Amino acid sequence: QSPHNKNQHHIIAANLDQSLLFATLKNPKTSQGFIDRFLIASEAYHVPAIIIFNKSDLYGKKEMAKFEELKSIYGSIGYPIQAMSVSENTGVKEVKDLLKDKVTLLSGHSGVGKSSFINIVFPELILKTQDVSGWSGKGLHTTTFAEMFDLPFGGKIIDTPGLREFALMDISKQELSHFYPEMRALISECQFNNCMHLNEPDCAVKSGVNDGSVSIDRYVSYCNILDSIEEKSW
Ligand SMILES: Nc1nc2c(ncn2[C@@H]2O[C@H](COP(=O)(O)OP(=O)(O)OP(=O)(O)O)[C@@H](O)[C@H]2O)c(=O)[nH]1
Ligand SMILES: [Zn+2]
């Protein structure tokens, strides 16, 4: 990542009121690691984050149960979560209300319905949408630019092709847990002030996992991302 690029990210981030991630639980399924990386980037830039699960029309019992579980995990950390279906126009008004009079960065992996959403809140701008097809269930990348648009009802959106444009910067293994708010709240109680919450004795984060104040899924994602940071520096 070039320094020029990085400065641009800081300039964009400094002007944001919030970031909004489009995710889905089906066709294609967004991984929790993807969601957490987005949240870490938002925390690193001090931008409040919102998660919207689109394509709720496709969710069966299993996906609805998963949605409720995620809503409880992320909601208790302080991240608002909502379900939406652009196809059936449910939950769309609620998302529009979140955008009103705010500067919002929109993000999401390909095929999640971001262009479809922008097309209905901002019909003047017709973005190309593409069918989700092929064995992977992921759409081809059709959104290839980042631009700021004025919303007709007040506010602005910045559309990015996803995390490629709003990526994790150089976060060290040591500081990763600072970007998990529920862990950050416990860190000062770890015995070691450089605790990475793995095998250290008297770790408040691991106690939090045991007593349920830190979700196991979030802790697993923390460990995975910690691993990926190590690989990168080799
Ligand atoms: N079932 C269902 N399909 C949807 C919904 N929203 C969008 N889609 C479909 O999902 C596919 C991908 O939508 P896009 O709007 O192109 O997705 P995108 O996130 O903009 O993807 P890129 O343009 O590749 O970045 C299209 O076939 C849409 O018609 C929804 O709420 N429900
Ligand atoms: Zn610890």
Side-chain angles (χ1 to χ4, degrees):
Q1 205 179 39
S2 73
H4 174 68
N5 222 341
K6 210 159 145 183
N7 286 338
Q8 273 188 337
H9 290 167
H10 282 292
I11 291 164
I12 291 173
N15 290 292
L16 291 176
D17 294 314
Q18 58 190 8
S19 61
L20 190 152
L21 178 70
F22 286 102
T24 50
L25 289 174
K26 209 173 175 179
N27 196 21
K29 189 177 184 304
T30 308
S31 74
Q32 203 179 343
F34 189 88
I35 294 171
D36 287 335
R37 282 170 186 273
F38 172 81
L39 296 176
I40 291 164
S42 297
E43 291 293 332
Y45 285 112
H46 304 289
V47 177
I50 301 168
I51 310 163
I52 303 296
F53 282 93
N54 187 34
K55 308 199 184 187
S56 63
D57 55 292
L58 301 177
Y59 300 175
K61 258 207 179 120
K62 197 181 79 192
E63 287 83 12
M64 280 318 294
K66 185 70 188 170
F67 172 74
E68 291 303 331
E69 185 195 330
L70 292 171
K71 189 172 172 173
S72 135
I73 292 174
Y74 288 98
S76 68
I77 301 168
Y79 298 118
I81 287 204
Q82 289 187 21
M84 171 177 83
S85 165
V86 171
S87 304
E88 297 196 332
N89 196 22
T90 52
V92 174
K93 180 173 182 307
E94 286 77 0
V95 177
K96 277 188 185 180
D97 288 345
L98 291 172
L99 300 179
K100 191 172 165 9
D101 298 330
K102 299 262 173 68
V103 179
T104 308
L105 178 118
L106 299 185
S107 194
H109 56 72
S110 192
V112 85
K114 193 156 55 87
S115 306
S116 306
F117 175 78
I118 292 171
N119 287 342
I120 54 166
V121 296
F122 193 13
E124 294 82 5
L125 175 95
I126 303 301
L127 290 182
K128 253 174 72 188
T129 64
Q130 188 150 345
D131 276 344
V132 172
S133 59
W135 61 272
S136 70
K138 305 222 177 194
L140 295 173
H141 279 284
T142 51
T143 311
T144 52
F145 53 91
E147 272 185 90
M148 178 122 85
F149 303 107
D150 288 314
L151 294 167
F153 46 82
K156 293 176 196 297
I157 51 174
I158 297 169
D159 180 31
T160 69
L163 278 186
R164 288 174 298 141
E165 290 300 312
F166 194 59
L168 295 194
M169 315 123 302
D170 312 312
I171 290 175
S172 69
K173 292 182 72 155
Q174 194 59 69
E175 60 187 348
L176 181 63
S177 59
H178 296 243
F179 303 112
Y180 283 73
E182 75 277 38
M183 296 187 190
R184 187 167 61 218
L186 300 171
I187 287 166
S188 64
E189 291 159 41
C190 290
Q191 186 186 334
F192 297 106
N193 64 6
N194 61 352
C195 187
M196 286 200 283
H197 328 299
L198 295 172
N199 300 310
E200 297 91 338
D202 279 326
C203 168
V205 170
K206 279 197 296 175
S207 303
V209 175
N210 287 331
D211 71 23
S213 57
V214 174
S215 114
I216 292 176
D217 288 350
R218 285 274 286 175
Y219 181 70
V220 168
S221 113
Y222 166 78
C223 294
N224 288 337
I225 294 172
L226 200 65
D227 255 4
S228 73
I229 291 175
E230 189 168 45
E231 279 160 17
K232 222 191 296 177
S233 63
W234 281 347

